[in-house]
Structure formats: C-alpha cells, structure tokens
Amino acid sequence: MKLSDGAGAVGVEFALDLEAASSSVGPARRSVDAWLRARGHGSRSRRSVTLVVSELVTNALQASPGSTLGLRVTDDVERGVVQIAVSNPISGQAGLPDRSDWGPESPDAPRGRGLEIVASLASRVKERRGADRLWVLAEVPMFSTGGDS
Amino acid sequence: MAAESPTRLEIEAVGRRLRLSGDVDIHTAPRLADRIAQLATDDDVVVDLEGVEFIDSSGLRVLIEAHQQLLAAGSRLVMCSPSQVASSLFEMTGLQAQFHIE
C-alpha cells in the first residue's frame, strides 16, 4: 500500500486506531514491531520506533483519556526513516511545549522524560493541527540491518 | 485492539529483591510502584532488570521516585543486571550516573 496519509507522510503505511487507555499501549507497540519486522527492519531500529510509539501514544492518551487515538507508521525507505504519527482529538490542550522545555526540570526529576526520549531518538518532531485532531509526528532514522535481526 | 492482551510484566518478589520480567510502561508501571512501596524503606531494595524487555518513561518515573524515596530514608534502590533496553534508556536519559547499578 503506497499512500499519503492524513499527516502528510508518503510511503508504505501501517495504520491503527486505538482506545485511549493504558492497556492499548503494549498491543500498539507489538503491532508496530511485528509490522517493522515483516518489512525487514532489525531489532535496533524496531526498539527505537517502538519506544517512540510508546511515548507518543502515552502522551496522547493522557491528553484525551477515553477517546480514540490514531496511530500511523510510515516506512520511508528512500529516506531511511520511519515516521510515527499519533493523533488525539483536540480538547483545548496546548500541544507540544517549546522544544527548549522538553525534558525534566532537573536531572533527577521523575517527570518530563517522555519528550526527552523522543527527541533523543527522532531526527525531526513536529505537530500538525487538523480540524478536530492534533497530530504529533516524529521521524526516526533506521539503522543498517547487518547482523541485527 | 481490545482483543489483544495488554502489556505483560511479571514481578517475582524474594525478600527485598524484585525480579522483573516483561515490559514496564504506563499500564504496568503502577503495579511496580505498588510492589516497591510495599517494602519498608529502612533497607535497600534490589530490582533485577535482567528480564526487562521494554521500558519507557513511565517505568523510569517509578524507578526515579523509588530511588529518591529510599535515598531520603537512608537506603538505596539497587538496580542489578539491567537488560540492554534498560541500560540504553538509562544512558540516553543520563540516569546511569544517578542510579545504583550493579
């Protein structure tokens, strides 16, 4: 399937709608991992993508509990990146904070680690507001699969 | 989606040692926090991370909070045998230097 999704990415896409509940995060991760494995991506790349998926889905479900979240993963082979797009209904939240505010307030703070992790793994992170949904998009570079299953 | 099983995390407790097996995320992290909180803070708590197959910021938050609570009580949260995924996340977030890791 080659298409352009609602978030603007072009490539081979995995799409999933899920309930905004903590019980959805693990199955979403496993589904994306299985899809990437079937496409030949190694474990190192899959670990990066599933970690970003987990963080973005967690953020979205906390912003819109009980709603339906959108998850789109696009394998852009030409550019060597996987794009993860997660959406939730716009419900007055401000969206992503300024990039300078990503990360914990102090080195030992327990909160604020999710976007720090996403920023560490993704080469690009942005948000896109639709008519009624907020999309957060992250592009994760893929590693060579040499010896990495 | 609803038919799929949620995240699996097994927590085996032997004395003050908790051995984790599976994934630590927003679904399972509260259970880990509860298990750690059941242990008194007057002595070290050991968390064996060898069987952790996935951990994200929700899991980190539990470990950081437990680490700080035990430190405040004069004890330590000792993380032993972290799996590759746990080690790489500690390194990514700069927590490797703060945690007691064996």
Side-chain angles (χ1 to χ4, degrees), chain A residues 16 22-24 26-31 47 51 54-55 58 62 107-108 110-111 113-114 116-117 120-121, chain B residues 1 4-7 23 25-27 54-58 60-61 64-65 68 84-85 89 92-93 95 98:
Chain A
L16 187 66
S22 67
S23 57
S24 298
R29 260 194 332 263
R30 290 197 295 273
S31 296
R47 279 200 301 271
L51 186 48
S54 200
E55 298 296 351
T58 296
Q62 289 175 327
D108 59 349
R111 291 176 175 271
R113 303 272 171 188
E116 176 189 37
I117 292 169
S120 295
L121 295 170
Chain B
M1 201 76 223
E4 293 190 46
S5 60
T7 308
D23 297 359
D25 65 8
I26 190 172
H27 189 64
F54 177 85
I55 180 169
D56 64 9
S57 63
S58 299
L60 283 185
R61 181 178 162 188
I64 294 167
E65 288 176 343
Q68 292 175 344
Q84 187 179 359
V85 295
L89 194 60
M92 187 189 304
T93 52
L95 291 167
Q98 297 186 46

Side-chain angles (χ1 to χ4, degrees), chain A residues 34-108:
Chain A
W35 182 74
L36 291 173
R37 180 191 289 266
R39 294 192 50 74
H41 290 288
S43 59
R44 193 175 172 197
S45 296
R46 300 200 312 272
R47 279 200 301 271
S48 296
V49 172
T50 52
L51 186 48
V52 171
V53 166
S54 200
E55 298 296 351
L56 294 184
V57 171
T58 296
N59 283 351
L61 75 87
Q62 289 175 327
S64 304
S67 67
T68 299
L69 307 180
L71 170 62
R72 307 287 182 268
V73 182
T74 306
D75 188 7
D76 189 335
V77 177
E78 289 181 9
R79 294 176 55 229
V81 300
V82 165
Q83 185 185 82
I84 301 111
V86 175
S87 75
N88 60 277
I90 291 176
S91 54
Q93 84 269 28
L96 289 176
D98 290 340
R99 185 120 187 177
S100 59
D101 293 331
W102 293 10
E105 291 183 354
S106 63
D108 59 349

Side-chain angles (χ1 to χ4, degrees), chain B residues 40-53:
Chain B
T41 57
D42 59 355
D43 199 356
D44 292 353
V45 172
V46 178
V47 179
D48 185 334
L49 300 171
E50 187 174 10
V52 169
E53 297 167 8

